[in-house]
Amino acid sequence: MDEALVCVVDDDDAVRLSIGLLIETLGLPVRSFASAVDMLADAEVMTQAHCLVLDVRMPGLSGVGLQERLIRLGCNAPIIFVSAHGDVPMVARAMRDGAFDFLQKPFNEQMLLDRVHEAVQLAARRRQEAAWQAEVLGRLDSLTARERDVMEGMVAGRLNKQIAEDLGISMKTVEQHRARVMEKLQVDSLAELVRIVVRAGAH
């Protein structure tokens, strides 16, 4: 988690500094911003942020407004909101839109550290899954149209003879395509093939 950047956005200088220093005790790099607009202007945030700690009420773009903007931009870093205001509708809206947690000021420091740690781990798992999926989809894209047809039959549990009849080709040709599918997708068994195709959402 060397690149597990945590971003803190709060218009209160003292709060921003104290939260940043607290999170640094986890050994994580922290980048702090006085406004949502400042954070959006930092290109690295979109690629490296593993957790965002946002104040809810800020001049200009609010924390919840920033959450909506990040969703549109495709950034799914876990968000922890902190606020001195117990605004129930706003909390409900933020959580409904996927916020990781909502802590009310003054918050317990250890609770914030625990939640940041959990959020960073979640982000790391999401990134690993996304990288794995991209790799599998890349392998799938390397299949020819006919290999793809044969693979679909394999995943559907069709026998070689049935696939041959479905596609109007010989069993020998099906076997050749089947071998290339297994080789290109780097799997050793039909069960493994089915598992990665289903998990990648490619079937």
Side-chain angles (χ1 to χ4, degrees):
M1 295 193 293
D2 294 340
E3 298 181 343
L5 179 68
V6 178
C7 296
V8 178
V9 186
D10 197 306
D11 61 306
D12 186 312
D13 294 343
V15 172
R16 188 171 67 250
L17 177 62
S18 64
I19 291 177
L21 291 173
L22 179 64
I23 294 172
E24 284 178 350
T25 64
L26 291 172
L28 296 169
V30 177
R31 195 166 300 176
S32 298
F33 303 91
S35 73
V37 173
D38 289 344
M39 196 204 82
L40 288 170
D42 190 323
E44 255 189 337
V45 168
M46 297 296 290
T47 58
Q48 293 188 17
H50 279 53
C51 175
L52 308 175
V53 180
L54 311 180
D55 187 20
V56 173
R57 297 181 185 274
M58 294 183 286
L61 188 62
S62 70
V64 174
L66 175 57
Q67 179 189 30
E68 293 172 349
R69 186 77 61 86
L70 291 170
I71 290 171
R72 289 200 298 271
L73 292 172
C75 177
N76 68 346
I79 295 174
I80 297 172
F81 283 105
V82 292
S83 177
H85 309 279
D87 189 332
V88 175
M90 190 174 288
V91 173
R93 177 180 165 193
M95 298 304 287
R96 187 181 64 246
D97 288 342
F100 187 73
D101 206 348
F102 202 109
L103 304 179
Q104 191 163 349
K105 301 175 185 176
F107 49 80
N108 178 283
E109 292 187 351
Q110 189 57 52
M111 181 178 290
L112 175 63
L113 289 176
D114 290 344
R115 298 305 278 156
V116 167
H117 181 68
E118 291 164 10
V120 167
Q121 289 183 318
L122 172 62
R125 289 196 299 272
R126 283 178 179 172
R127 285 165 179 260
Q128 287 170 355
E129 179 68 18
W132 176 88
Q133 187 169 38
E135 182 181 339
V136 170
L137 291 177
R139 294 179 201 167
L140 287 164
D141 285 343
S142 73
L143 299 177
T144 65
R146 182 58 85 196
E147 288 166 355
R148 184 91 184 198
D149 291 339
V150 170
M151 183 203 74
E152 293 287 352
M154 293 166 66
V155 172
R158 306 283 283 170
L159 301 174
N160 284 358
K161 181 180 179 182
Q162 294 171 316
I163 296 173
E165 290 172 354
D166 292 341
L167 301 179
I169 57 179
S170 70
M171 275 187 58
K172 183 176 181 182
T173 301
V174 170
E175 289 166 0
Q176 292 171 341
H177 285 314
R178 187 178 180 121
R180 282 197 291 271
V181 166
M182 302 289 277
E183 180 183 351
K184 287 183 177 182
L185 295 187
Q186 301 174 29
V187 294
D188 298 318
S189 68
L190 178 58
E192 187 179 359
L193 170 69
V194 172
R195 187 164 56 250
I196 70 164
V197 170
V198 172
R199 181 179 163 195
H203 178 62

